Amino acid sequence: MNLKTFFTALLLTVGLVTSAQTVSGIVTSDDGPLPGATVVVKGTSNGVSTDFDGNFSINVSTFPAT
């Protein structure tokens, strides 16, 4: 394995390890929080429902799903 290939593999590995993030928030309307609302990551089937107070937390990837 040459040095260029090694560093490319290393960067890809580091990118995959750090590519996941947790996004959280509150879904509301003019009337207040929305319990049971569905939050889906665009372009995926990754989704969660909000709790009684409209709160949600979902893990997302910075890479598109394959």
Side-chain angles (χ1 to χ4, degrees), residues 4-63:
K4 183 177 180 181
T5 304
F6 173 76
F7 282 114
T8 301
L10 180 64
L11 288 173
L12 288 173
T13 302
V14 170
L16 291 174
V17 170
T18 61
S19 67
Q21 294 182 352
T22 300
V23 175
S24 59
I26 304 172
V27 178
T28 62
S29 71
D30 291 338
D31 298 325
L34 289 174
T38 303
V39 178
V40 178
V41 178
K42 186 176 181 176
T44 73
S45 60
N46 185 17
V48 295
S49 295
T50 59
D51 67 11
F52 182 76
D53 296 318
N55 298 304
F56 72 92
S57 181
I58 189 169
N59 292 323
V60 297
S61 174
T62 58
F63 293 106

